[in-house]
Amino acid sequence: KSLRRPAGLRKPLRDKDQAVAKASEQLQNNRQRRKEYKKLHSGSMRDEKACVVKSLSLTGGTDGLDAMAAGCLLPQLAATPQCFRYLQNLNMSGTRINAQGVKSLATFLASGEDCHVKSLRLDKCGVSDQSSALLFRGVERARCLKVLSIAKNRVGPKGSVALAKSIRSTHLKEVSLSGNALHGLS
């Protein structure tokens, strides 16, 4: 009398030990396949090994795609700074950044141990005077930031006062504010 066949077997098995061995082998193969599947499909934004971006450049284009990319990236930087801990250079020059984007960027810069950005370039991004003041509060807490370029924006008296207050506690070696409305400051 033959025993029931485990799924996937074509020939009937006569020996109970043979059936147990075959079923055990199939179970082991299924476990191995599950492990391989999980390994292949586990990479996500929260997986540290999947996020090794050292330099990111989203310089402005004519079709607005970069502005849309900035609108997606900046909130992600603020929400999951640990995923971008290897990011050292961020260049968003020429990309329109709204107030919410600047706020997200400031939050990311202030995230402490997870932020290792050394160079931040935001030339011609349309950053307003009020937004720049918020950005400089984030810059104040960015331990690794050495280069900040925020040229040709709309930084005015409010932003420059915030920069002056925060610059004492930063490690900045180079700051570029050229092309901003800084005239008339005393």
Side-chain angles (χ1 to χ4, degrees), residues 77-78 81-82 102-117 120 134-145:
L77 284 173
Q82 70 277 7
V102 172
K103 182 178 178 183
S104 296
L105 188 55
T107 302
F108 171 65
L109 290 171
S111 64
E113 291 181 20
D114 288 327
C115 181
H116 293 103
V117 174
L120 177 61
L134 180 64
L135 176 68
F136 294 141
R137 283 196 287 276
V139 166
E140 184 176 12
R141 294 192 205 126
R143 294 186 213 165
C144 296
L145 192 63

Side-chain angles (χ1 to χ4, degrees), residues 12-69:
L13 297 173
R14 304 257 180 230
D15 183 37
K16 185 177 178 182
D17 291 334
Q18 189 181 5
V20 170
K22 198 67 167 171
S24 178
E25 182 184 330
Q26 282 185 333
L27 183 61
Q28 191 66 22
N29 286 343
N30 285 343
R31 284 183 187 146
Q32 186 64 31
R33 275 188 249 139
R34 237 182 284 131
K35 281 182 184 178
E36 289 172 10
Y37 179 83
K38 283 181 181 178
K39 192 184 285 185
L40 283 172
H41 295 85
S42 68
S44 69
M45 287 302 287
R46 298 195 189 280
D47 184 6
E48 181 181 327
K49 292 179 182 172
C51 302
V52 183
V53 176
K54 289 188 176 182
S55 188
L56 183 60
S57 180
L58 288 175
T59 55
T62 57
D63 57 3
L65 179 65
D66 293 323
M68 288 179 9

